[in-house]
Amino acid sequence: MTDRELDAAGITDAALRTAYRHCRALNARHGRTYFLATRLLPVERRPAVHALYGFARWADDIVDSLDPGIRADQRGAALAGLQESLDEGLRGGHSPEPVVYALADTARRYDISHAYFRDFMTAMSADLVVTDYPTYADLRAYMHGSAAVIGLQMLPVLGTVVPRDEAAPHAAALGVAFQLSNFLRDVGEDLDRGRVYLPADLLHAYGVDRALLRWSRDTGRTDARVTAVLKEFEALTRGVYRDAAPGLGMLDPVSRPCIRTAFVLYGGILDAVARDGYAVLHRRAVVPRRRRAVVAADGLARVVAARLRARGDLHRGGAVKASPLPAGPVTPCVHQEAA
């Protein structure tokens, strides 16, 4: 985290600044696509995004590490410890764990429902014991906690030009779309972790089972039935992107370039998978660096245009209806728990 970002966000406490820097480092190391997009946000909003994603990355690392030396019970104990730290941090606003400290501060500043974090941790706990999903409806229920709530956590930080409840379904859909993209890209890696996120009813419709996926992974050979499943899963994911797309225009104009860039780059994962012949059981599809650079440059141009328009609106006495808190010291807010 740069001093400029922390200063703009009104984060002055030395320990808290260190906590936010730790979150930023987690994102820079693990989440290249979203880290790139986050650079397009107004400077004062970036620390909050890093706190939200840093916490998500930390929990995800506990359950998804491929280190064979870490036993399932050790993962469970680590996740339980994180849950305890989270509960204490959200309750008291402070934590010795840097990521939790930054998260608790962000939740307070932006009045983010604690229920979203509880739902997220429930999904992470499921990953320790659930290895497949019978139907797409079952998978969507899991993704409420693992993905949809991430979009909902982000919404107060991004700001909206419509009532937040109107934008919320699209924000949730975008979180799901991003995760479905990752599921498609990571079929092989998830199989190595013992998990299959492709719904069982979809697999069975094409005569595919876990054994066939394992055979393809182990031998490096393809099977037309597996490819058909992957194509249908891709089409399903593109449908979720269409559900999410209207939400882009509901965001604060200065936040739109960031989310639009993430939207295009994550959607590009689907293009990369198709271009690579749906070989996700054998290698990871990658969005070309040149494509990433072009999308980022377009996002930067949109940032400049949005900020110029915002300054023009203020100069003319207008105001954009948006929900993010201003930069500078923030007074504590009353938290409203979701039902």
Side-chain angles (χ1 to χ4, degrees):
M1 192 72 59
T2 66
D3 287 339
R4 175 170 169 260
E5 291 170 341
L6 294 167
D7 292 343
I11 300 168
T12 58
D13 178 80
L16 192 55
R17 289 168 75 93
T18 298
Y20 274 102
R21 288 192 182 98
H22 184 68
C23 292
R24 185 182 191 274
L26 281 173
N27 290 336
R29 183 165 69 248
H30 292 295
R32 292 181 302 168
T33 296
Y34 205 81
F35 181 78
L36 173 65
T38 301
R39 299 295 298 274
L40 301 175
L41 276 176
V43 64
E44 72 275 8
R45 304 188 201 182
R46 296 176 198 167
V49 175
H50 288 310
L52 295 173
Y53 270 80
F55 178 80
R57 287 304 324 175
W58 188 18
D60 195 57
D61 284 348
I62 290 174
V63 299
D64 276 353
S65 172
L66 286 171
D67 186 345
I70 304 177
R71 302 190 311 271
D73 63 322
Q74 292 174 314
R75 297 178 198 272
L79 201 62
L82 177 56
Q83 178 71 69
E84 183 177 352
S85 294
L86 174 65
D87 292 341
E88 293 177 355
L90 291 175
R91 185 167 52 247
H94 189 279
S95 175
E97 295 287 356
V99 176
V100 173
Y101 189 17
L103 180 77
D105 183 69
T106 290
R108 177 187 63 81
R109 287 170 180 261
Y110 287 92
D111 194 22
I112 301 172
S113 172
H114 294 183
Y116 296 152
F117 304 113
R118 290 197 299 268
D119 290 349
F120 173 75
M121 291 299 292
T122 296
M124 293 300 97
S125 296
D127 271 336
L128 295 177
V129 294
V130 179
T131 59
D132 52 43
Y133 293 87
T135 68
Y136 181 58
D138 295 312
L139 183 63
R140 283 298 294 255
Y142 160 77
M143 287 191 294
H144 165 74
S146 65
V149 297
I150 303 297
L152 296 172
Q153 292 168 20
M154 283 283 294
L155 203 53
V157 180
L158 298 172
T160 60
V161 295
V162 299
R164 194 182 299 173
D165 288 347
E166 185 178 340
H170 303 291
L174 189 58
V176 170
F178 288 171
Q179 185 165 64
L180 287 171
S181 298
N182 287 341
F183 284 164
L184 182 61
R185 180 196 62 195
D186 299 338
V187 170
E189 294 175 20
D190 287 330
L191 188 63
D192 291 342
R193 297 184 179 102
R195 301 193 206 116
V196 176
Y197 290 107
L198 303 171
D201 58 351
L202 173 60
L203 294 173
H204 296 161
Y206 290 92
V208 177
D209 57 16
R210 183 185 288 259
L212 182 58
L213 296 176
R214 188 74 259 172
W215 170 85
S216 181
R217 176 74 166 166
D218 292 342
T219 65
R221 297 172 64 180
T222 60
D223 186 286
R225 294 168 293 176
V226 173
T227 300
V229 167
L230 297 173
K231 286 182 176 180
E232 184 159 337
F233 195 77
E234 176 202 358
L236 179 153
T237 303
R238 291 189 186 276
V240 180
Y241 275 100
R242 288 192 293 272
D243 293 340
L248 298 178
M250 298 178 183
L251 298 175
D252 183 344
V254 296
S255 295
R256 289 175 198 166
C258 165
I259 303 306
R260 182 186 182 279
T261 297
F263 184 96
V264 174
L265 289 175
Y266 272 93
I269 293 173
L270 304 180
D271 298 329
V273 167
R275 187 169 53 248
D276 198 33
Y278 301 91
V280 292
L281 279 162
H282 313 133
R283 55 186 174 270
R284 171 180 279 213
V286 178
V287 178
R289 183 170 298 179
R290 179 179 177 81
R291 173 61 176 163
R292 290 164 56 86
V294 168
V295 173
D298 177 71
L300 182 59
R302 291 172 183 270
V303 166
V304 172
R307 292 178 183 175
L308 288 174
R309 285 194 297 270
R311 290 173 187 170
D313 288 341
L314 290 173
H315 181 71
R316 291 188 296 271
V320 174
K321 180 183 176 184
S323 59
L325 302 180
V330 180
T331 57
C333 57
V334 176
H335 177 75
Q336 298 294 325
E337 292 287 351

